[in-house]
Amino acid sequence: MVNVNTKKITDNVCIIGGGPAGVATALMLQQRGIQSTIIEAAAGIPQKAGETLPATALPVLQALGAAGVLNNAAHLPCYGNSYLWGSNRVQEKHFLFQTAGNGWHLNRQQFEASLLDLAMQKGISFLPGTKLVQAEFDESSKSWRLLIKKSDSPATTVNCSFVADASGRNSKFARCLGIERKQFDTLTGIIAHVQLNDDCPLSQLTHIEAVENGWWYAAAVHNKSIVTAYMSDAKLLPKSVQKISGYWQALQQTELISTLFTPGFTPPASTVLHTQPAGTSILSSICGNNWIAVGDAAFAYDPISSYGIISALGGGCYAGNAIADHLAGAGEAMPAYRYITEKAFATYLPLLQQQYALENRWTDAAFWKERNGK
C-alpha cells in the first residue's frame, strides 16, 4: 500500500470515533490545553435509537462546557419511568420527587451534531468519513503512526503521540492491535422509529416492559414519533420480528408498550427497522503504550442499566484528564484510569444481575434462565 501523504497531528492526540465518548474526550483535552483530531468512519451522523438521558448527566455536560447542547426543541423533557417488570402491575417512578429534576428524551442525531459543532467551534479538528486502516507504535519516538483513508481519496499516514479509541463496540483501534473483546451475552435490539398520527397522545415517560423472551423499550422523540426497541438474545430473535409487519404484531401483544398507540394504529410499511448489538462486553485491555479506550470501546453496558450515554460522556471526562496527565509525565495516570474503569465495570455486573433477577414470571424461558443462572 502506498502512503501518499504524511503529516504530524498537532499536539499529540488522535481520537478514533466521533460519538459522545470521543467528543467528550476531545472537549476535556481542549480544556487542558491539548489539541486533538477526531477521526470518524461515518460520513454523517446515523440515526440511533434515541436515548433517555438522566438528569445526573447535566453536571457532566457542565464540566465539559457543553450543557448548552440540551437547549434545543428537538430534545423533550423526560418526567420519569413507567415499567412492567417483575410484576403484572404497571409501576411508575417520577423524577418530580427527585432533587436532580427531569431528564431528557434526546434526538440523538441532533445531540451528537450539537456536540460536534461545539467541538469544532473550540478548534478541535474533525475528519468525517475517514477509516482507520492500520496502527503502528514507534518505540523509539513513543508515537503512533496511523494509516487512515477516506473512501474517495488515497490513504494518508498521520503521526501522533497518543490515541484514544472511542470507536464504540467495534473498538476499531484495539482490534488493529489484536486485542480481544469479551462478550458476556448476545443481547440484540431491533429498533423502529414510529411516526404517530395527530390523534395519538405523546407520553413523556420512558416505558420498559419485560416479556417472555426479552424486553421492550419505548420513548417519545421529536416530531411526534416514538422510538421502540425489542431486546432479546440474537439466537432468540425470530425472523418474523425483523420485518415491520411481524415486529408490529409482536409489539401489539405487549401490555404496556401497546397502550402508547391508539387502537387500530399501524405504522407505515416503509418503517425501517435497525438491528444492533446491545450486550455487555469489555476489552481484555483498556489502555497500553500511549493509547486508551473510552466509552463503549472500553466496555459496553446493557441498555437496561441506562448507563450508555452518561457513561460515554463521563468516560470522556476521565479519559481526557488521564491523557493530559500522562502527557505531562504523570506515571500513575494510566494505571489510575484502568483502576477506575475496571472498578466501575465490576460494580455494574452484580447490579445488572440484580435487575434481571427481579423478573421471575418466565423462569423456564431461555432468555431469563440464561440471565438468572437457572
Side-chain angles (χ1 to χ4, degrees):
M1 183 176 293
V2 178
N3 304 328
V4 299
N5 187 22
T6 301
K7 59 182 179 180
K8 178 76 176 178
I9 291 293
T10 315
D11 257 335
N12 309 326
V13 183
C14 282
I15 299 170
I16 312 301
V23 178
T25 303
L27 289 171
M28 184 52 67
L29 284 168
Q30 192 269 342
Q31 287 190 26
R32 297 289 301 270
I34 298 173
Q35 289 296 313
S36 62
T37 296
I38 299 172
I39 300 169
E40 169 55 50
I45 300 173
Q47 187 178 55
K48 297 184 179 178
E51 188 80 40
T52 300
L53 188 66
T56 50
L58 184 56
V60 181
L61 287 168
Q62 289 171 334
L64 292 168
V69 300
L70 294 174
N71 297 330
N72 191 301
H75 310 312
L76 302 178
C78 173
Y79 297 122
N81 299 322
S82 173
Y83 53 96
L84 192 54
W85 190 286
S87 166
N88 292 320
R89 180 173 62 87
V90 175
Q91 301 179 69
E92 294 186 353
K93 183 177 182 181
H94 291 268
F95 298 152
L96 175 65
F97 304 109
Q98 299 181 11
T99 57
N102 67 271
W104 296 267
H105 286 154
L106 296 180
N107 175 337
R108 277 297 295 275
Q109 287 177 303
Q110 182 59 60
F111 180 76
E112 295 192 16
S114 297
L115 279 175
L116 278 171
D117 286 345
L118 176 63
M120 288 186 285
Q121 288 169 18
K122 291 179 177 291
I124 296 165
S125 299
F126 177 57
L127 304 179
T130 305
K131 294 183 178 181
L132 175 67
V133 179
Q134 187 177 341
E136 296 179 352
F137 186 66
D138 185 338
E139 285 285 354
S140 61
S141 64
K142 301 298 180 183
S143 65
W144 284 98
R145 183 172 179 266
L146 307 181
L147 186 65
I148 61 176
K149 189 178 187 311
K150 292 180 75 77
S151 60
D152 56 350
S153 303
T156 300
T157 299
V158 297
N159 298 305
C160 59
S161 298
F162 203 99
V163 178
D165 187 350
S167 59
R169 294 170 183 268
N170 288 330
S171 47
K172 175 64 176 178
F173 177 81
R175 285 195 294 117
C176 283
L177 305 185
I179 296 173
E180 296 183 354
R181 190 174 188 92
K182 181 180 179 181
Q183 301 285 342
F184 287 76
D185 57 69
T186 62
L187 188 72
T188 302
I190 300 182
I191 300 145
H193 284 76
V194 181
Q195 186 70 42
L196 300 178
N197 295 333
D198 289 339
D199 60 345
C200 282
L202 193 65
S203 169
Q204 287 182 224
L205 299 176
T206 297
H207 303 272
I208 298 171
E209 178 175 355
V211 294
E212 184 174 4
N213 269 315
W215 53 275
W216 286 84
Y217 162 94
V221 288
H222 74 301
N223 292 340
K224 202 164 177 66
S225 61
I226 293 180
V227 59
T228 63
Y230 175 49
M231 301 286 178
S232 186
D233 286 325
K235 63 187 177 184
L236 298 177
L237 287 170
K239 290 184 178 180
S240 60
V241 300
Q242 299 174 43
K243 296 182 179 180
I244 189 59
S245 57
Y247 180 90
W248 191 250
Q249 184 177 9
L251 187 150
Q252 290 303 299
Q253 295 172 8
T254 63
E255 295 181 41
L256 172 60
I257 306 299
S258 61
T259 63
L260 304 179
F261 305 91
T262 54
F265 173 85
T266 56
S270 58
T271 301
V272 177
L273 297 178
H274 300 276
T275 301
Q276 61 186 49
T280 296
S281 61
I282 186 171
L283 278 181
S284 58
S285 178
I286 61 169
C287 58
N289 284 335
N290 286 18
W291 73 270
I292 200 169
V294 58
D296 282 353
F299 58 90
Y301 291 109
D302 187 309
I304 196 63
S305 69
S306 298
Y307 286 171
I309 196 165
I310 193 170
S311 173
L313 295 169
C317 284
Y318 281 119
N321 280 314
I323 294 167
D325 291 343
H326 174 79
L327 293 176
E332 71 279 6
M334 290 298 102
Y337 177 80
R338 180 188 292 113
Y339 173 79
I340 291 170
T341 304
E342 291 180 350
K343 183 178 180 180
F345 187 76
T347 301
Y348 150 79
L349 286 175
L351 293 176
L352 178 67
Q353 186 176 19
Q354 290 173 26
Q355 178 63 46
Y356 278 111
L358 293 174
E359 181 52 77
N360 54 20
R361 288 175 292 169
W362 298 283
T363 55
D364 293 329
F367 180 86
W368 299 102
K369 284 174 68 175
E370 184 165 326
R371 279 153 182 79
N372 295 327
K374 297 178 181 179

